[in-house]
Amino acid sequence: MNTRRRGVIAGSAVAVLLLTAGCGAADTSSGNASAVQPAGSGKQLGSAYDSNGGYGAEMEAGAGAGAGYGSVTPDAAGAAAKAGPAGELKLRDVPGLGSAVTDGEGWTLYRFDKDTPKPPKSNCEGDCAKVWPAVAADDAKAGAGIDAGLLGSVARADGTRQLTLAGWPVYRYAKDTKPGDTLGEGVGGTWHVLGADGKPAAAGGKGEGQGSGAGAAPAPAPAPEASEEKQKEAAIELSARTNAVLGTIVADAEGRTLYRFDKDSAWPMKIGCVGACLDTWKPAKPVDKTKVKGIAAEMIGTVKRPDGSEQLTIDCWPVYSFTGDKEAGDITGHNKQGLWFAVTEKGKKAKAVS
């Protein structure tokens, strides 16, 4: 009996050792880890430790809606809600971009580099869809200069059908306030005005209308090496970037800064941001380790949250994006309530560069 008990204890010790080796000791600079409630404990942190629940909650109307995708102001709410049929698609010449696709009313249409055309799939849901309303496929027709055979549709998560062009899901941009606006071009480095062939208009579309007038020569095709490199960069899901204030910090695919929370814990791995906290701090989604730049693969992992979803971890620290960051590269969440910090490629808290 004693021998069996010793075997169980020894096995438990080995398991703990393996877990420790995988996730290491917690960063001692992170504060009092014992105050963190373990995932699934049923307890939620909140206003017990400050007036905003320690979450850096933004109280302004519309704050955080679509963070990382281009912010939506209350004035843009009407535009964000506009997701009706496209009508008869048209082409218009946009200086500097060339031939761009618009809907029947002249609103500029866009595509998202993180979507896929084969098979068609939209990766813009939730907050993203508030900023980039999907264009409904109903009644869409091809106007002059647009190949009707390229029009199609794809089912969205909510069951609606979204218009596609050459397989690419089609969107409007909430911050375009009038027909002809192209304010969505280049947002996050992943949103582009749509060309007639489904490619970004700036890439030349079909080569029609490129430049300042009819008959202008089409833009030269980029070198194959440059295109390959650009495609690789577009596929990056997680990267280490240099910030002038904080040095090297980690950003997600949309360029949003990622943060760690002192009420979480790396060892043992525990989740402190639950309930109302999640209105302001969004758990980062797991990434493909082959699509990471500047961060060692062994630093990247996941943790299961109380709701069963998986969250990205860096050196075993759960990481989040902040809804108060309005543009790619923003670091407004750093040092919020003295609890939230931009995270380095090593999983450490970023510090101001002297």
Side-chain angles (χ1 to χ4, degrees), residues 259-343:
Y259 301 87
R260 50 175 271 187
F261 184 33
D262 274 2
K263 297 291 181 178
D264 286 346
S265 173
W267 178 254
M269 294 177 75
K270 296 179 182 179
I271 301 292
C273 182
V274 292
C277 175
L278 299 176
D279 294 336
T280 307
W281 301 91
K282 303 298 182 182
K285 295 179 180 179
V287 300
D288 182 341
K289 291 185 181 183
T290 66
K291 297 180 179 180
V292 171
K293 183 177 180 180
I295 306 158
E298 60 267 23
M299 287 285 175
I300 299 166
T302 61
V303 62
K304 184 169 284 190
R305 294 187 56 80
D307 63 3
S309 63
E310 295 287 330
Q311 181 173 357
L312 174 68
T313 63
I314 299 178
D315 195 28
C316 296
W317 281 96
V319 292
Y320 308 76
S321 60
F322 178 47
T323 59
D325 285 345
K326 302 305 181 186
E327 303 292 342
D330 282 355
I331 54 171
T332 60
H334 184 69
N335 204 25
K336 274 283 183 184
Q337 281 75 44
L339 295 169
W340 293 90
F341 300 91
V343 66

Side-chain angles (χ1 to χ4, degrees), residues 249-260:
I249 57 176
V250 177
D252 67 9
E254 278 72 48
R256 295 174 296 191
T257 301
L258 297 182
Y259 301 87
R260 50 175 271 187

